[in-house]
Amino acid sequence: MRRARTAVFCLAVSCVASTLSPVERARAQAEIDCQNAMSTAEINVCADKEFDAADKELNAAYRSALAAIPGMASEKPYDAKSWEAALRASQRAWVAFRDAECVDHLAFFWQGGSGASADIIGCKTELTKARTQELKERYETSR
């Protein structure tokens, strides 16, 4: 039952988001002053914009971490191939955790309320920023 409600909620959110074409979405993001966003729609667009930026930074940090592994690795079981596989598995598990926490779990606190989308996106943004920082600290300082 809970899973079904969450799935319906997520479907509703994605349907609303999909009504804008990529060009319309980009135009809406450019026109909104996120420092003074007032409506729920503006707040959601701004939250989405912040998440997109955080996600791009995470992807860059992840690529950088993968690139750093060969210089940090040693012999089995700590060789580059095993280390890379471990990082990839860790990242997949982390993404699953982030989405379960923010999308599946957090939605219940809102019970369909209008602030749910911004809070869910904000949760994903904060966890993404934290993961980015973890990867940078572990891999950039180890070079």
Side-chain angles (χ1 to χ4, degrees):
M1 176 79 169
R2 248 185 343 185
R3 234 8 180 181
R5 255 195 299 176
T6 302
V8 169
F9 172 78
C10 292
L11 180 61
V13 169
S14 66
C15 287
V16 170
S18 68
T19 60
L20 293 178
S21 73
V23 172
E24 291 170 320
R25 183 174 169 227
R27 188 177 303 125
Q29 287 179 340
E31 293 173 2
I32 294 172
D33 176 7
C34 288
Q35 297 298 322
N36 298 304
M38 299 299 265
S39 71
T40 302
E42 288 178 341
I43 292 168
N44 290 343
V45 167
C46 294
D48 193 44
K49 188 176 182 178
E50 185 178 359
F51 173 71
D52 286 346
D55 193 50
K56 285 179 185 166
E57 188 174 353
L58 172 62
N59 288 326
Y62 179 66
R63 283 190 304 275
S64 179
L66 286 170
I69 288 173
M72 299 168 64
S74 61
E75 296 178 20
K76 282 193 175 205
Y78 306 106
D79 61 295
K81 185 176 179 180
S82 300
W83 194 333
E84 182 179 319
L87 177 57
R88 288 183 188 281
S90 173
Q91 189 67 9
R92 280 191 298 275
W94 177 85
V95 168
F97 162 76
R98 181 200 62 194
D99 293 348
E101 177 63 21
C102 298
V103 178
D104 297 337
H105 177 224
L106 191 61
F108 283 91
F109 289 94
W110 287 92
Q111 298 181 19
S114 63
S117 294
D119 198 24
I120 289 166
I121 296 167
C123 175
K124 288 175 67 174
T125 300
E126 291 309 309
L127 291 180
T128 298
K129 287 179 178 180
R131 178 64 173 174
T132 300
Q133 188 61 35
E134 288 172 4
L135 290 175
K136 286 181 176 182
E137 288 173 2
R138 288 185 180 143
Y139 289 93
E140 290 180 7
T141 59
S142 300
R143 285 185 178 192

